[in-house]
Amino acid sequence: MRNLSMQNITPTIGSVVNFDLASASSADMADIRRLLGERMVLAFPDQHLSREQHKALGKHFGTGVLHRHALALHSGSNDPDVVVVKADANSKYAVGESWHTDVSCDPNPIAVSMLYMKQVPENGGGDTLFASMYDALEGLSAPLRKMLEGLTARHNGALPWRDGYGIEPPKDQPYNVTVHPVILRHPETARPLLWVNGGFTQRIMEVSKHESDHLLDMLLNHIEREPKYQCRIRWQNNMLVMWDNLATQHIASWDYFPQTRIAERVSVVGPELAAFQS
Ligand code: SIN
């Protein structure tokens, strides 16, 4: 790849890549896709992309089809392909302030998201943490991992939005509810990963509700409390961060109230996951 220099954020996950995305050729994008497959999170500082260039990056990932979030037009965006991620002194909540994987409630969830920072909070804060679901799975003991094989879980779009923030979806686009494998084989890398998250995962289907509640608590705790599966992005204005939304989950730290943080997210739809049970 031309003009590329990079530094890993941790040995496990995340790299900072010094590369001008506006000048990327198809060959460069193929390299970036491979790198994303290995590192899961790539941060590109100092980008100068138009809205159309930001959207065009998406066609190099997943199915190449941009994801239209049920709430994109509620987010302050005038473009259904772009979610505005904004919190300020008037906000009652900030998008993504608990651990989640973007719209895992969809039958074909987002493969890759690309968040482009427009305004960082004046006095710092607003970092985003990402966790590797490959490493979270590998960190489980062999007997537990064996027990999870073949299990499935229901992911419900109403959990974060209706139950969490009290937001109703548009009438023509209800929140999705989908049953996915608990251990997923990544469609591109073929590596197994743990596919439950605190945002959307409601119930493990093959066990009692009581067992499901405790099992999910234990798995989510395992993911969320372990720094060695995680990296932290400290944003700068004009930084674009792309993440593999199947191999990771993330949390945005809302520690900057009442200051303002504004970013724009473009995401790409991945394949249906039913065929990727590990
Ligand atoms: C998101 O959950 O997509 C937003 C992440 C962020 O604001 O850092």
Side-chain angles (χ1 to χ4, degrees):
M1 207 166 10
R2 291 174 299 141
N3 306 327
L4 179 83
S5 74
M6 58 173 267
Q7 306 85 41
N8 289 345
I9 301 172
T10 77
T12 308
I13 175 172
S15 298
V16 177
V17 185
N18 297 305
F19 183 77
D20 175 18
L21 288 167
S23 70
S25 65
S26 298
D28 293 328
M29 290 309 297
D31 286 345
I32 289 172
R33 201 170 62 237
R34 269 193 297 279
L35 192 58
L36 186 65
E38 286 164 26
R39 301 297 307 159
M40 297 166 262
V41 178
L42 300 179
F44 296 86
D46 198 22
Q47 299 300 310
H48 298 280
L49 299 167
S50 66
R51 168 74 62 83
E52 288 314 308
Q53 285 173 312
H54 185 190
K55 286 166 58 170
L57 287 177
K59 73 174 192 298
H60 299 280
F61 297 93
T63 57
V65 176
L66 296 189
H67 180 263
R68 294 201 155 175
H69 198 287
L71 298 172
L73 298 177
H74 292 241
S75 70
S77 173
N78 55 8
D79 184 333
D81 294 332
V82 176
V83 176
V84 173
V85 177
K86 175 176 177 185
D88 62 17
N90 299 315
S91 299
K92 302 277 182 289
Y93 64 88
V95 169
E97 56 178 306
S98 59
W99 281 100
H100 67 288
T101 305
D102 292 335
V103 297
S104 68
C105 56
D106 288 3
N108 48 348
I110 288 170
V112 174
S113 279
M114 285 162 279
L115 190 66
Y116 190 19
M117 186 55 64
K118 302 291 179 175
Q119 183 177 335
V120 293
E122 216 168 66
N123 292 330
D127 295 355
T128 309
L129 281 77
F130 292 88
S132 160
M133 295 303 98
Y134 298 131
D135 293 273
L137 180 65
E138 277 170 23
L140 294 173
S141 64
L144 185 59
R145 200 172 149 157
K146 193 163 177 45
M147 192 193 85
L148 296 177
E149 277 166 16
L151 297 185
T152 61
R154 182 168 65 228
H155 296 237
N156 186 343
L159 286 187
W161 298 105
R162 180 180 291 144
D163 299 357
Y165 302 139
I167 300 174
E168 282 300 321
K171 295 239 171 319
D172 58 345
Q173 199 178 355
Y175 293 128
N176 281 326
V177 178
T178 307
V179 172
H180 289 302
V182 168
I183 301 184
L184 195 67
R185 183 166 47 81
H186 192 287
E188 289 197 23
T189 66
R191 289 180 65 190
L193 59 96
L194 186 56
W195 183 248
V196 292
N197 69 86
F200 294 94
T201 313
Q202 188 171 37
R203 170 79 202 264
I204 297 182
M205 305 306 287
E206 292 79 7
V207 299
S208 70
K209 162 107 176 45
H210 172 76
E211 290 169 330
S212 167
D213 288 348
H214 286 280
L215 198 45
L216 280 176
D217 263 2
M218 191 270 288
L219 292 173
L220 298 178
N221 190 263
H222 166 75
I223 294 163
E224 294 169 9
R225 76 178 168 79
E226 183 48 90
K228 75 179 177 216
Y229 307 143
Q230 300 172 10
C231 72
R232 185 178 191 108
I233 298 291
R234 206 147 271 156
W235 291 94
Q236 303 155 9
N237 287 337
N238 299 320
M239 177 183 269
L240 183 143
V241 172
M242 57 177 73
W243 61 89
D244 181 329
N245 188 57
L246 300 179
T248 62
Q249 52 185 270
H250 58 281
I251 182 170
S253 175
W254 192 24
D255 53 0
Y256 50 88
F257 183 86
Q259 293 176 48
T260 302
R261 177 183 185 267
I262 307 172
E264 291 189 359
R265 196 181 87 195
V266 168
S267 300
V268 194
V269 173
E272 282 217 16
L273 294 184
F276 294 96
Q277 183 132 17
S278 183

